[in-house]
Amino acid sequence: MIRTIKIYIYASLLVLGTYFQLKRVQKSVNQLTKEEIFIQPRSVSRKVMKRTGSMVMVNGQEKLPKGPVLFVANHQGLFDILTLLGHLGKPVGFIAKKEIQKLPIIASWMELVHCVFIDRTDRRQSVKAIHQGIENLKSGHSMVIFPEGTRSRGSSLNPFKLGSFQLALKANVPIVPVAIDGTYQMFEERNGRISPSWVTLTIEDAIFPEEYNGKNSSEIAEQVQSVIKRRLQIDGADDRMTSSGDQQVSTT
């Protein structure tokens, strides 16, 4: 537990250390590229992941399409967001719970990378948030969704909720399935104690609008879920440690 507390303190100090950079970015946001704004969120995420002792293996980064995309990822654990921010290889915003808006500095950075905060208890606000996500995509900002809606806290995959797929359908952008494996072993499996894990982040082939146009949300969700499920079943622990090919091991 002491180690876990030290990691929380370390992460908090890292976030506090970005305060002055945050103010500089806010003042000149219109003159900066998405990549320049994203430097700090990516750096902090990588440093925290490294401090946990975890290794992140990234597969398929060369498959990333140019331009905005909707990333659809499974949601194993608390560290999924840091894994994606630090290692996905593209600036992204998230559909995030409204409670995160209460976190100083973090919420401001999230706004800068075009995250959308959603109140799932308020249907009208949820619809408004989805529309904002669609506008973000149309404006050139990639988004990440976790269609399971909540953490699976293990290697299983919960059913996908259909509403979030409207972001791709309305914005007419590629859908990129992303399989995350191993993050639940960092926190959820340890009863709230942070432990190192071997995490794999696999970027699958993009599904372009011309491939999914004519399908409804249910059909698209089933297709994407099938891709992620297949990847999670294939990548056992031994395979992750010995596989080769289109992969990149990230430790910083």
Side-chain angles (χ1 to χ4, degrees):
M1 183 57 72
I2 293 177
R3 182 174 182 274
T4 297
I5 293 171
K6 286 182 177 180
I7 292 172
Y8 277 125
I9 293 173
Y10 174 75
S12 298
L13 291 174
L14 279 179
V15 172
L16 286 171
T18 69
Y19 177 78
F20 293 108
Q21 180 63 20
L22 170 65
K23 293 304 177 183
R24 286 193 290 268
V25 170
Q26 287 175 327
K27 287 181 180 178
S28 56
V29 64
N30 293 327
Q31 286 75 48
L32 298 173
T33 66
K34 295 191 294 290
E35 289 73 19
E36 289 170 331
I37 294 171
F38 200 67
I39 288 172
Q40 284 296 329
R42 177 188 288 123
S43 175
V44 169
S45 298
R46 287 189 169 211
K47 287 176 180 177
V48 174
M49 289 295 289
K50 183 178 182 180
R51 181 55 65 98
T52 69
S54 298
M55 299 283 287
V56 180
M57 176 186 289
V58 183
N59 299 321
Q61 222 170 48
E62 75 286 348
K63 298 177 181 179
L64 288 174
K66 293 181 179 180
V69 303
L70 179 67
F71 291 100
V72 181
N74 63 304
H75 198 8
Q76 288 190 347
L78 180 68
F79 284 91
D80 290 340
I81 291 177
L82 293 186
T83 300
L84 291 164
L85 284 172
H87 302 280
L88 189 55
K90 198 177 182 79
V92 290
F94 292 80
I95 303 291
K97 296 184 295 184
K98 69 167 186 174
E99 287 77 11
I100 297 179
Q101 285 183 295
K102 299 176 182 178
L103 300 177
I105 303 179
I106 291 176
S108 296
W109 278 113
M110 292 183 72
E111 289 171 0
L112 285 170
V113 299
H114 298 276
C115 291
V116 176
F117 299 101
I118 189 169
D119 180 0
R120 291 192 175 91
T121 65
D122 185 335
R123 179 172 176 79
R124 177 177 293 182
Q125 194 279 331
S126 295
V127 171
K128 184 178 179 180
I130 292 297
H131 282 303
Q132 182 59 58
I134 293 168
E135 290 305 312
N136 287 353
L137 287 164
K138 287 182 177 180
S139 298
H141 305 287
S142 295
M143 302 288 296
V144 175
I145 59 169
F146 296 113
E148 289 172 278
T150 187
R151 289 174 279 168
S152 64
R153 300 176 180 271
S155 57
S156 61
L157 194 63
N158 294 325
F160 281 9
K161 301 181 186 300
L162 306 183
S164 52
F165 286 90
Q166 288 297 314
L167 276 79
L169 287 168
K170 299 293 186 182
N172 203 42
V173 296
I175 297 171
V176 179
V178 177
I180 304 171
D181 197 16
T183 49
Y184 71 94
Q185 295 171 332
M186 296 176 64
F187 186 77
E188 286 74 14
E189 192 176 68
R190 310 297 181 184
N191 295 318
R193 295 173 182 262
I194 298 175
S195 300
S197 178
W198 186 276
V199 177
T200 58
L201 179 65
T202 304
I203 300 163
E204 301 289 351
D205 291 325
I207 306 170
F208 291 92
E210 56 266 28
E211 299 175 63
Y212 66 71
N213 282 336
K215 296 182 179 180
N216 57 36
S217 295
S218 179
E219 292 169 326
I220 297 172
E222 184 177 349
Q223 179 182 356
V224 175
Q225 187 171 24
S226 177
V227 170
I228 295 175
K229 184 177 181 180
R230 184 167 61 248
R231 174 61 60 181
L232 294 176
Q233 289 174 338
I234 290 172
D235 284 347
D238 292 338
D239 293 331
R240 293 198 300 269
M241 293 297 292
T242 60
S243 61
S244 60
D246 59 341
Q247 60 189 21
Q248 168 195 343
V249 178
S250 302
T251 58
T252 57

